[in-house]
Amino acid sequence: MSSIELDHVSKLYANGAYGVRDVDLSIGEGEFVIFLGPSGCGKSTTLRMIAGLEGISSGDLRIGGRSVNNVPPRDRNIAVVFQSYALYPHMSVRDNMGFGLKMRGVGKAVIDEKIREAAGLLGLTPYLDRKPAALSGGQRQRVALGRAIVRDPVAFLLDEPLSNLDAQLRAEMRLELVKLHRRLGRTIVHVTHDQVEAMTMGDRICIMREGSMIQVGKPLEVYANPVDTFVARFLATPPMNLIPARLEGRGDGLAVIGDGLDVPVPDMHRTAYAPVAGREVIFGLRPEDLHETPQPGCVRIDVTVVAMEALGVENILVGQIGGTGGKPVEIAARLSRHFTAPVGASVPLYLDARPMHLFDPETTRAFPRPALRIVKS
């Protein structure tokens, strides 16, 4: 059994500050879960409590249904892979991978067989007699994973293992970790501050802020239905556009009114947002919901171009709207690679309001509406 349950777990330091506050989470056997958040949000501390490297101030931590609050790390059968790899530079790949088993008194034949299997799984067989200094960053990361695999743990805890790699290696290792999870079928908890890792690797994302877990769900569901403005902006690049506005009644409908913004609320959201009519709101819309050509049901807005970012597969327009009643609002639009416009130009964009969000300016929480689902094609 490799389920992991955190039952209102907290970490309180001697100075009275919480590193982690009241985390309540159940991780199923064989699940790949991502802890996502900015630096200092408590994600690594939570991981270290699961590993037994940090004490728990309150709550109960269970692995496989057994409380492990007072169980030392060596007896939890959990493997941890750190950002720094932590390889012994004077040892070969073979010796690094087998060192932990050797210290436990496991026989040489068993160690050799486990190393052979793990090396084959990770493509390390040709490098078993090399020292870490003779390996690339990606190969060293594989050795650290191999050292964890040979232990045959019930779960793997990965603490930002890809952050030291360059962009290409990071993309390759993301895919390798997903493949590895499918082959091993073990529980994996992966800590990262990288939104791409979170969106592409995990079965579920747990977004943390200031020691608290503020939203948990499948990546695309969290992306489509953020609970507040922090999640809305953190879980994407470019982030969600957040525009100050007011929700007004209009005939038998509703409209979001702001400086440079006049958007009728789609019928699908009218009932949910009716109680908010007459209030100040924050209007949220993803950059991909702005289009360069007219679309059925879309609303035209005029945008002054501030910058164009050409990414090859697409162009990101950064622009401003409004400004007649004060400071203009900067927004981003994810457009086709064929779209270009000079800085300073005024261009029309077409806004699809169906995926819109409204947030409370005081609490930053999303006003409830029917959840949207994004289906992978």
Side-chain angles (χ1 to χ4, degrees), residues 18 52 54 66 124 135 177 202 249 262 278 347:
Y18 277 94
E54 288 274 1
R66 178 177 69 118
L124 291 172
L135 303 176
L177 281 173
D262 187 337
V347 299

Side-chain angles (χ1 to χ4, degrees), residues 209-287:
R209 183 187 187 190
E210 298 177 351
S212 297
M213 204 161 279
I214 56 177
Q215 187 167 5
V216 178
K218 295 180 179 179
L220 291 177
E221 292 178 0
V222 174
Y223 182 85
N225 303 287
V227 298
D228 62 15
T229 57
F230 172 79
V231 177
R233 291 191 63 82
F234 192 79
L235 193 60
T237 304
M240 180 181 286
N241 297 305
L242 299 175
I243 305 170
R246 185 175 180 85
L247 185 65
E248 299 285 2
R250 176 177 289 170
D252 60 351
L254 299 168
V256 178
I257 309 296
D259 191 3
L261 195 70
D262 187 337
V263 180
V265 173
D267 292 345
M268 61 193 293
H269 299 317
R270 188 184 304 171
T271 301
Y273 285 147
V276 190
R279 293 184 56 175
E280 300 295 320
V281 297
I282 298 173
F283 175 74
L285 197 75
R286 295 281 182 198

Side-chain angles (χ1 to χ4, degrees), residues 38-268:
S39 298
C41 71
K43 55 188 185 296
S44 289
T45 300
T46 305
L47 191 88
R48 290 173 63 84
M49 287 193 291
I50 296 172
L53 303 175
E54 288 274 1
I56 295 172
S57 302
S58 62
D60 191 32
L61 173 64
R62 297 183 293 275
I63 299 176
R66 178 177 69 118
S67 179
V68 295
N69 285 26
N70 300 311
V71 175
R74 66 178 180 275
D75 296 330
R76 297 190 183 195
N77 197 18
I78 296 285
V80 185
V81 178
F82 295 104
Q83 176 182 346
S84 63
Y85 314 146
L87 302 178
Y88 295 107
H90 63 287
M91 291 185 182
S92 67
V93 169
R94 187 190 310 276
D95 291 339
N96 264 286
M97 290 174 66
F99 182 75
L101 296 180
K102 183 179 179 181
M103 291 298 97
R104 288 175 174 80
V106 178
K108 184 177 184 305
V110 174
I111 294 176
D112 289 345
E113 177 62 19
K114 288 183 175 291
I115 291 173
R116 185 189 65 79
E117 291 177 355
L121 188 66
L122 296 167
L124 291 172
T125 303
Y127 311 108
L128 285 174
D129 295 319
R130 294 189 187 182
K131 300 289 179 60
L135 303 176
S136 69
Q139 289 165 343
R140 285 194 286 261
Q141 185 62 76
R142 286 184 173 90
V143 175
L145 286 168
R147 183 176 54 191
I149 290 170
V150 298
R151 290 184 49 194
D152 194 25
V154 297
F156 295 89
L157 308 181
L158 313 180
D159 193 0
E160 304 211 40
L162 310 184
S163 59
N164 287 339
L165 305 179
D166 61 40
Q168 182 176 346
L169 272 177
R170 200 157 55 239
E172 293 173 0
M173 283 303 300
R174 284 200 305 266
L175 182 58
E176 291 302 317
L177 281 173
V178 171
K179 290 179 180 177
L180 185 65
H181 175 247
R182 289 172 181 168
R183 291 170 185 164
L184 298 177
R186 300 298 171 86
T187 304
I188 295 180
V189 180
H190 180 109
V191 162
T192 184
H193 61 269
D194 187 294
Q195 299 96 328
V196 176
E197 288 180 28
M199 290 297 296
T200 58
M201 295 173 63
D203 298 319
R204 283 191 297 160
I205 301 176
C206 306
I207 299 183
M208 298 190 69
R209 183 187 187 190
E210 298 177 351
S212 297
M213 204 161 279
I214 56 177
Q215 187 167 5
V216 178
K218 295 180 179 179
L220 291 177
E221 292 178 0
V222 174
Y223 182 85
N225 303 287
V227 298
D228 62 15
T229 57
F230 172 79
V231 177
R233 291 191 63 82
F234 192 79
L235 193 60
T237 304
M240 180 181 286
N241 297 305
L242 299 175
I243 305 170
R246 185 175 180 85
L247 185 65
E248 299 285 2
R250 176 177 289 170
D252 60 351
L254 299 168
V256 178
I257 309 296
D259 191 3
L261 195 70
D262 187 337
V263 180
V265 173
D267 292 345
M268 61 193 293

Side-chain angles (χ1 to χ4, degrees), residues 312-323:
V313 68
E314 64 187 3
N315 288 342
I316 305 298
L317 181 150
V318 180
Q320 293 179 338
I321 63 171

